[in-house]
């Protein structure tokens, strides 16, 4: 039983890692499903770019918005701000809430960046998008050392219907894929570096030492858990009392309850 | 046993997420079934547009109406309004009930928008609808760089009976599908954005803090549960008393019971 | 039961070894997956070098950053350094923290070096990178004693589409692979040597004897374990007390708690 507890505690400590791994697997699976089932490059001069870009950026945008949606901290900070704008800038400096916003935003960016990386490493969407580019400069770059047909048939390269020779087509496809993957790795490294710098900065500015910080993190977690239990308990008691008084048609018994100001303070 | 409780509580907290996932799966499955079994484009100049649009918007309308049907809040607000129209506009401002209506309407819109997105991402319905368009401008756009036959045969493209070459037909089909999917992603992103803005707005205008809000949400849930139990209990007791007094043919014993006004108030 | 304890203790002692073996297996598996699924040399003069280098160094960079991320010691040293730069250089000599930084960095280098070795021993990435080199000196070296075509077709060697004879192509491929593996073994030997020297140096400079050192290592481990348990316990108690006082709307009972200075000292 003790061993089981140890294993459980180990997994609880690695919660964040497990969560991110799960998210990565989900993203990869989703990308596979999309590029298999739904994605089919139109191979059309006017639409390729818009279509490819939609599949690259659309899901990323949706993931970003979902990330903001499920952020408890955003709503905790945000509630009642219209009625009391002073809350965002207590004592004249808006810097604190700006930093919290940055923090929330960067947290919500994890999933979209993951999607972008997975999609770019696979390369299907980028292929379609870039083959529809109409800019002369780009087309010249792609069709260097190729026959004249290349310029006309560029948009048909992702599909199997171009009039180019199989060799030329293969070459173009491999080039697109290589560009896509290089771009994907660049995004991965840049975002990892930015994440490291950000963590450095926040840790650097914190007034408390590292061990104290870990203690407070654990405290906050525990408090959230306990808050849930306590809230459920109190809500249950309150509901029973109110309904009893309603059905029996008499005055409710007094009930100890935190006032409005106390709620404001703990938020 | 404790572990099981934790798992159960986790799933209860994710109730909304699970519900929406279930709804999404149901929508996708329904769309598949419809487009496989029931949908068959007439490939006819005059009917294509109406037929495609019916399949796109018909189920969406039905889902909207169903959503309004099963909204408890709508009926709670609405009962007795005909007899007492003042109830909708207490103290002269109808703004409050208008906001509640907006709220209910947006909640009922989730399923129709989901249907629209799934149907557009699949593209079968849109294909049929758009190929029946008669407008010269649109047809010119579709048949650019194509043979003259294209204009005549446009309506037959979704079926396999057009006289166009397989290549041309494929090109048109891919173009329609691309348009449909781009449109679908646009709707997804716009509705996600609107949802985020709406949540921002309601949270912004709320007078209570976020934690208090979560507490009240839980309280309302509990109250509903308790109300069910209490109501069943009291109804049982009342029925027994009345029947007893009826069979024993004597006056019913007095019974504490909330009066009519109290019922009105809690609604 | 006693035997089980012995086995468990044996494995606990070999924790580091098991961890490194696991990491090595993961690296090898990851390299295989990447070179099978994702990697496809573009066989293009301009891109080969960038593409191959991206796959060689990109994952290594990501692993380095991840290693720094999960280093507890780095953050323990680093917190609060901006607010109090004196902390990094206590009593005027920055040598101590510099040594700790070196230590942390070398620890984080293990995984990237492992990746480099595995990738070079396999040779796929190096092949692609080196075949895209444009430098005359290198090309001359590669194409010594070969036909003139060799210079033109060098970039197409990793793919199966070059116009060289199968014999010549095979010769070039084997040469590339041999270079890659020699490079890989060099890196392995150099890093092992550097690791040995580093351990020698730190043991040489330590004031305590080897047995004392092993005792301290074990003590530090135990302390960390105990700290976790104690912190969880105290956080739980504190959270319960605060929430109880909040819901019952009265003053919290006093709670013994270490002050800020004590936290600073133990970090």
């Amino acid at each position: 039983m003790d061993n089981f507890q140890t294993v459980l505690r180990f997994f609880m400590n690695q919660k964040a890692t497990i969560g991110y791994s799960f998210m990565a697997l989900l993203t990869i699976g989703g990308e596979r499903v999309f590029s298999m089932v739904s994605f089919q490059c139109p191979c059309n001069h006017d639409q390729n770019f818009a279509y490819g870009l939609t599949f690259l950026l659309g899901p990323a945008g949706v993931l970003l918005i979902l990330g903001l949606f499920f952020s408890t901290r955003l709503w905790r900070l945000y509630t009642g701000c219209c009625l009391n704008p002073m809350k965002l800038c207590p004592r004249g400096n808006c810097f604190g809430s700006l930093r919290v916003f940055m923090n929330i935003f960067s947290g919500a960016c994890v999933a979209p960046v993951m999607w972008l990386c997975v999609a770019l490493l696979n390369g299907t969407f980028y292929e379609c998008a870039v083959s529809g580019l109409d800019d002369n400069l780009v087309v010249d770059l792609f069709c260097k050392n190729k026959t004249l047909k290349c310029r006309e048939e560029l948009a048909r390269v992702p599909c199997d219907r171009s009039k180019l020779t199989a060799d030329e087509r293969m070459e173009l496809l491999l080039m697109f894929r290589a560009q896509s993957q290089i771009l994907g790795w660049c995004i991965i490294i840049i975002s990892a570096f930015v994440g490291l710098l950000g963590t450095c900065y926040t840790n650097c500015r914190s007034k408390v030492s590292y061990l104290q910080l870990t203690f407070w993190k654990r405290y906050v977690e525990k408090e959230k858990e306990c808050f849930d239990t306590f809230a459920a308990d109190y809500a249950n008691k309150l509901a029973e009392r109110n309904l009893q008084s309603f059905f029996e048609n008499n005055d409710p018994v007094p009930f100890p309850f935190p006032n409005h100001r106390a709620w404001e303070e703990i938020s």
Side-chain angles (χ1 to χ4, degrees), chain A:
Chain A
M1 201 59 202
D2 197 46
N3 288 327
F4 180 71
Q5 282 281 323
T6 316
V7 171
L8 200 78
R9 200 175 319 136
F10 175 76
F11 277 115
M12 290 302 279
N13 283 340
Q14 307 296 318
K15 213 162 37 175
T17 316
I18 294 172
Y20 281 125
S21 311
F22 189 69
M23 212 204 266
L25 278 180
L26 222 72
T27 317
I28 293 173
E31 203 271 347
R32 287 276 135 173
V33 167
F34 263 114
S35 64
M36 292 270 179
V37 175
S38 182
F39 185 81
Q40 217 171 6
C41 194
C43 291
N44 184 313
H45 234 300
D46 308 321
Q47 288 190 313
N48 269 9
F49 188 65
Y51 189 73
L53 222 62
T54 306
F55 269 82
L56 259 181
L57 300 184
V62 170
L63 285 173
L64 180 65
I65 290 174
L66 280 182
L68 288 177
F69 239 113
F70 290 119
S71 161
T72 322
R73 278 174 78 196
L74 175 62
W75 303 124
R76 196 187 296 176
L77 180 77
Y78 200 64
T79 42
C81 283
C82 293
L83 296 172
N84 182 11
M86 277 301 287
K87 233 183 112 182
L88 277 178
C89 302
R91 284 176 297 280
N93 65 332
C94 305
F95 197 68
S97 43
L98 210 87
R99 219 173 51 209
V100 175
F101 266 120
M102 278 285 292
N103 217 320
I104 292 165
F105 193 76
S106 63
C109 270
V110 172
V113 166
M114 232 180 227
W115 167 268
L116 264 185
C117 293
V118 169
L120 283 174
L121 282 185
N122 192 25
T124 328
F125 303 155
Y126 178 86
E127 239 168 68
C128 185
V130 104
S131 70
L133 277 178
D134 224 1
D135 197 44
N136 257 328
L137 214 83
V138 182
V139 176
D140 279 345
L141 195 77
F142 289 162
C143 288
K144 209 169 59 183
N145 304 329
K146 302 252 159 44
T147 54
L148 264 174
K149 247 187 202 161
C150 169
R151 300 184 66 101
E152 285 168 25
E153 297 287 324
L154 196 61
R156 291 212 183 83
V157 164
C159 313
D160 212 359
R161 295 181 292 110
S162 70
K163 285 157 198 155
L164 293 170
T165 62
D167 239 38
E168 273 181 325
R169 199 189 147 242
M170 203 61 208
E171 218 162 286
L172 280 170
L173 269 185
L174 282 175
M175 193 175 72
F176 291 154
R177 186 159 300 170
Q179 285 171 357
S180 172
Q181 291 187 340
I182 290 173
L183 206 69
W185 278 110
C186 286
I187 288 182
I188 290 176
I189 289 188
I190 288 170
S191 57
F193 196 68
V194 166
L196 187 68
L197 279 186
T199 319
C200 276
Y201 181 75
T202 47
N203 271 328
C204 194
R205 302 225 24 123
S206 81
K207 285 197 198 77
V208 295
S209 66
Y210 182 73
L211 281 179
Q212 204 169 354
L213 211 70
T214 51
F215 174 74
W216 278 114
K217 255 186 209 158
R218 184 152 300 162
Y219 169 72
V220 166
E221 245 172 49
K222 279 279 174 216
E223 206 194 46
K224 213 186 283 174
E225 266 178 40
C226 288
F227 180 81
D228 276 0
T229 340
F230 269 76
D233 212 35
Y234 267 80
N236 203 357
K237 275 191 207 155
L238 191 62
E240 260 177 19
R241 184 202 64 156
N242 283 353
L243 280 168
Q244 193 127 33
S245 82
F246 168 69
F247 272 111
E248 286 172 0
N249 213 1
N250 53 14
D251 279 341
V253 289
F255 194 74
F257 200 69
N259 57 5
H260 190 72
R261 174 144 315 275
W263 280 107
E264 289 268 292
E265 260 166 32
I266 66 159
S267 291

